Amino acid sequence: MGRDGGISWLCVPRFDSPPVFCGLLDHERGGVLRIAPTAPAHTRQYYLDDTGVLVTEFETDTGVLSVTDAFVLADGADLSGAPAGRGELVRALQVPHGDLEVELVLSARGQVDVARSAGGLRINSSACPDVTLQVGASAPLAGTRTTWRLRTGDRVYVWLRWKDQQHSLNLDLDQGGPSNAAEAAERLASTIGDWQRWSERIRYDGPQPELVRRSAITLKMLDYAEDGAIVAAPTSSLPEEIGGERNWDYRFTWIRDAAFSVYALRQLGLGAEADHFLSWVLDMVDREGEPRVLYDLDGGQPSRERIDAELAGYRGSNPVRWGNAAADQTQHDVYGEILDCAHQRVSNGYGLDPGLWQWLARLANLARERWQQPDHGIWEVRSAARPFTYSVAMCQVALERAARIADQLDLPGDRAGWEREATAIRRAILEQAWDPKQEAITEQLGSPEDGASSALDASVLALPLRQVISGAHPAMVSTTRAVVDRLGAGDGLLYRYLVDDSPDGLAGHEGAFLLCSFWLADNWTRQGRIDEAGQLYESLCARANPLGLLPEQIDPTTGAFLGNFPQAFSHVGVITSGLNLAEALRKDRAETEA
């Protein structure tokens, strides 16, 4: 919800459903559910401690209005695993003191039909033909624009429910919703308690503890509880450059996010979430002969990318896109991402079904066959494919993890051959991606004499994190220095690559990519530059908004947020870099005391 009291982005019943409100992408035509004082107000927002429940406070000349928003959980919900949502949003209005006029405004995209029902207002929109909305309240609703006079101590509850014809055929919107203020208040209180009980499981003792906890909660809020899938971001088409075309739909699950997210959650003590997500990943990839780059929340092919010509775009940035064409790309890093997930599972005491292991072993063999072939890389460029270093490195991870799994569980497979090929790939990276002039590992294998690019790419900073090359290796130390010199955007920010050096098939430019800066902090930590890593980490965390949320990218000139928001990868960076720093600081203290 925005500080103006408006819900201007809402996709129900799933993250990847068409938005019923998308005023975020078009203020005039997108639709909104807004509750706010009619008089000018100063506002502030905060989450209730250790919850996903948001509070917005409005202070006018005549009083204060507090609006508490929550997606309501089922009674006694276990957030760690099973589906917990009711399909209901509650908005609780309270006036601590004063006398205010408060207005509710409801609009939706497309042609809208509004009818009264036993539960309130029934809304159908041509833009979301499969979804029916119902708005109810504990105070009289005059229609899609309602004004209430509220005074000290007054409370009003507004609830929004939805029925999806494809997934909720038996849901009766007039039954099961709160029937009065007391019932709505009880559901809100129960949801707050469920969140706080879940948050008690977070285990962390390191820098920025409040932001790390908020990042864990944010990842949980990006978790599709029905099956454990985690979306990259809950939004679409928030631009990487204001006015530019770099606008993408991130409401899907990327396999590469799996290993990063699972590692972060497990290290915080959230093993159930990690196992739930791992099970989803392995179930999805076990269905098919070839793994996809990304999946919809059911584990299927995402909708084809299309341009929505009706919406103006965020601050005029168009096109607005639904779906993501990266689903059809070739990205060889997926082999390593999947096998790394499987290895994490095995390392935590789980076995593997023989059929699944046969399939995983086949992935290792595909990595062995294809690591030298071009692909579109971690950044999903829309230019010609090339043998990207990160993709090659993740093929090394696939082979190394397959050998480890086979050894740990005594499973059949070419263990020795996988180990030999993993060693050969590591050598190839150090030799064929190395540019002696820059003293750095570059974005791809091959020499400039053969037409290969010698451009730098911040994704190589992830190689130590995936145990491909030690962070203290001289090649990584000099590469880290070169990346900062060439890709540095100031104040510890990094571009992931420079479009002028490494064309990606798109017009314009983009902001600094936050995850890359967290990777830089991780490399400095591994290189013993702990003070510098700590200072960088603190500066990155300071860029979070007042709610503790981070975007995909930052405009280095203004500090403004760019890209989809909030971004799972950025919050994974908060968690993992904090954990790495905490461990390094503990070791440093132990050595000093010894």
Side-chain angles (χ1 to χ4, degrees), residues 483-501:
V483 166
V484 173
D485 289 345
R486 181 61 181 160
L487 302 183
D491 296 326
L493 297 175
L494 294 176
Y495 296 107
R496 49 185 176 176
Y497 55 89
L498 297 181
V499 176
D500 292 341
D501 294 346

Side-chain angles (χ1 to χ4, degrees), residues 369-402:
E369 295 171 10
R370 298 178 179 177
W371 67 267
Q372 298 182 74
Q373 297 177 14
D375 75 346
H376 291 88
I378 181 176
W379 308 133
E380 302 174 348
V381 298
R382 301 204 172 189
S383 55
R386 19 194 210 275
F388 284 105
T389 302
Y390 181 85
S391 298
V392 172
M394 291 309 297
C395 287
Q396 191 275 346
V397 169
L399 291 159
E400 196 273 343
R401 301 301 191 269

Side-chain angles (χ1 to χ4, degrees), residues 402-554:
R404 281 199 211 177
I405 293 171
D407 183 60
Q408 288 173 317
L409 299 182
D410 194 24
L411 294 171
D414 187 9
R415 196 182 313 172
W418 292 336
E419 290 175 343
R420 284 195 301 273
E421 196 71 10
T423 299
I425 294 175
R426 182 182 292 109
R427 186 185 311 116
I429 291 171
L430 291 169
E431 295 176 355
Q432 297 178 38
W434 178 257
D435 181 358
K437 294 181 180 179
Q438 300 182 86
E439 295 187 330
I441 298 170
T442 62
E443 71 168 6
Q444 70 172 82
L445 301 190
S447 66
E449 289 77 12
D450 298 325
S453 167
S454 61
L456 297 184
D457 188 321
S459 65
V460 300
L461 296 178
L463 270 55
L465 281 63
R466 311 314 286 271
Q467 303 173 34
V468 178
I469 301 172
S470 166
H473 191 289
M476 278 308 308
V477 173
S478 60
T479 296
T480 302
R481 183 169 53 248
V483 166
V484 173
D485 289 345
R486 181 61 181 160
L487 302 183
D491 296 326
L493 297 175
L494 294 176
Y495 296 107
R496 49 185 176 176
Y497 55 89
L498 297 181
V499 176
D500 292 341
D501 294 346
S502 184
D504 58 10
L506 296 163
H509 295 80
E510 61 180 29
F513 203 84
L514 270 176
L515 180 62
C516 296
S517 291
F518 285 111
W519 286 345
L520 173 60
D522 292 331
N523 276 265
W524 281 350
T525 298
R526 285 166 166 76
Q527 293 165 15
R529 300 169 63 177
I530 298 175
D531 289 344
E532 292 167 276
Q535 291 170 9
L536 174 57
Y537 181 72
E538 294 292 331
S539 72
L540 295 172
C541 290
R543 293 185 179 277
N545 74 1
L547 295 176
L549 301 177
L550 287 164
E552 178 186 36
Q553 299 181 19
I554 296 285

Side-chain angles (χ1 to χ4, degrees), residues 175-323:
Q175 301 293 327
S179 58
N180 54 45
E183 191 172 349
E186 183 179 346
R187 291 188 179 186
L188 177 58
S190 176
T191 296
I192 293 169
D194 290 337
W195 269 112
Q196 291 174 338
R197 280 188 293 277
W198 178 85
S199 296
E200 288 174 355
R201 298 169 45 226
I202 299 173
R203 297 288 179 265
Y204 178 76
D205 181 18
Q208 291 288 333
E210 291 185 5
L211 188 61
V212 169
R213 294 181 72 85
R214 177 51 53 191
S215 292
I217 293 169
T218 300
L219 289 181
K220 184 61 183 175
M221 290 195 290
L222 297 177
D223 179 0
Y224 180 56
E226 294 291 330
D227 56 22
I230 299 177
V231 296
T235 55
S236 177
S237 300
L238 294 184
E240 298 174 1
E241 179 184 36
I242 300 299
E245 68 171 349
R246 297 167 180 266
N247 316 317
W248 315 111
D249 192 347
Y250 276 9
R251 301 170 302 144
F252 306 107
T253 296
W254 271 254
I255 290 297
R256 78 166 55 91
D257 294 18
F260 285 106
S261 298
V262 168
Y263 173 81
L265 292 171
R266 194 180 296 283
Q267 292 301 105
L268 291 179
L270 302 174
E273 283 72 19
D275 292 339
H276 200 199
F277 189 28
L278 276 174
S279 295
W280 180 87
V281 170
L282 296 178
D283 286 348
M284 294 309 104
V285 299
D286 191 30
R287 293 180 186 177
E288 306 172 15
E290 287 280 344
R292 301 181 192 275
V293 175
L294 63 143
Y295 294 82
D296 71 11
L297 300 182
D298 287 332
Q301 175 79 10
S303 57
R304 297 194 66 82
E305 184 173 297
R306 66 181 181 86
I307 290 174
D308 191 328
E310 294 182 0
L311 295 175
Y314 179 82
R315 292 178 57 185
S317 303
N318 55 69
V320 169
R321 289 185 171 93
W322 309 123

